Amino acid sequence: MALLTFLEENDLSGKDVYLFCSHGTGGLADSVDIITEAVPDAEISDNIFDCYEEDAASSEEVIRQWVQELGYSSAQGEDTVQGNALNLQIGDTVLTAELADNSSAEALRDLLADGSLEIAMQDYADMEKVGSLGQELPANDEQITTEAGDLILYQGDSFVIYYAPNTWNFTRLGKINDISAEELQDILGEGDVTVTLSLAE
């Protein structure tokens, strides 16, 4: 009903409309016909992303990929701000990440605005590298099943890079762009590693 209210109050004539469902036991089901009737003058794309309940934990990244395949940047339409991209230097390799939209990532951005931060990180449980930020950031904990490249705040003061899945109450800080679990593990290596964080220009 909230979506139909939006469609009724906004003129989408001549606009391209892409439908997706990121979470729900029934998926889009009959909603496609209902939405099509609500915006008769819009162009409803046949390229539809329909996600079911069991996919909810991983739907965000899949939807980002779907949006990029449609020819749009995943950042389009978001409230992006200066410094929303993060660099992670690991040895001679520099990875980029997109920061999350929450007060925790904003606090990390503020911290890095004063200069880069070097973090000594240790391997834990064959799924993550973890190290101290040296200060506490505000937490926005939620139940998360991590994926390779997820940047997590743990217990307010620990910075974590995940390269394997884990489910727990964490705060999301961001995600490394375009990297597989195998690639990330190779870059992080075994044992201790030093990671330097900085805001991307």
Side-chain angles (χ1 to χ4, degrees):
M1 294 308 295
L3 177 57
L4 286 177
T5 299
F6 171 83
L7 296 176
E8 291 168 0
E9 294 179 351
N10 293 272
D11 183 10
L12 299 183
S13 300
K15 302 291 186 183
D16 293 328
V17 176
Y18 299 90
L19 305 180
F20 72 92
C21 175
S22 63
H23 181 75
T25 53
L28 281 166
D30 297 331
S31 300
V32 176
D33 292 336
I34 295 170
I35 293 169
T36 300
E37 291 175 7
V39 286
D41 297 322
E43 296 293 330
I44 306 293
S45 173
D46 292 332
N47 193 327
I48 294 173
F49 180 87
D50 204 355
C51 178
Y52 292 88
E53 185 76 20
E54 61 267 24
D55 302 317
S58 60
S59 63
E60 179 180 354
E61 182 58 29
V62 177
I63 290 173
R64 286 183 185 275
Q65 293 173 0
W66 175 70
V67 169
Q68 290 175 344
E69 289 169 4
L70 293 175
Y72 297 94
S73 166
S74 61
Q76 285 179 326
E78 298 178 1
D79 294 327
T80 55
V81 297
Q82 183 78 20
N84 198 47
L86 179 71
N87 284 339
L88 301 90
Q89 181 162 355
I90 307 166
D92 295 328
T93 302
V94 177
L95 304 175
T96 60
E98 181 180 349
L99 288 170
D101 183 17
N102 59 36
S103 60
S104 310
E106 184 177 350
L108 179 60
R109 249 190 326 261
D110 292 342
L111 177 62
L112 296 176
D114 294 330
S116 61
L117 178 64
E118 191 174 278
I119 304 177
M121 308 188 74
Q122 295 80 43
D123 202 75
Y124 179 76
D126 294 326
M127 61 184 175
E128 68 185 64
K129 298 287 187 182
V130 58
S132 174
L133 286 166
Q135 68 178 72
E136 273 200 31
L137 302 182
N140 288 278
D141 286 348
E142 59 180 321
Q143 186 82 356
I144 295 174
T145 298
T146 61
E147 298 177 344
D150 279 344
L151 306 179
I152 297 295
L153 177 69
Y154 178 62
Q155 294 189 337
D157 62 356
S158 292
F159 181 79
V160 185
I161 303 174
Y162 271 93
Y163 55 82
N166 184 31
T167 301
W168 200 256
N169 284 327
F170 298 125
T171 292
R172 189 180 300 281
L173 289 174
K175 187 173 184 65
I176 297 173
N177 299 322
D178 305 320
I179 196 164
S180 69
E182 293 76 12
E183 290 170 332
L184 185 55
Q185 281 185 274
D186 286 343
I187 293 168
L188 290 171
E190 297 181 2
D192 298 350
V193 66
T194 298
V195 177
T196 302
L197 306 182
S198 62
L199 295 177
E201 297 181 0

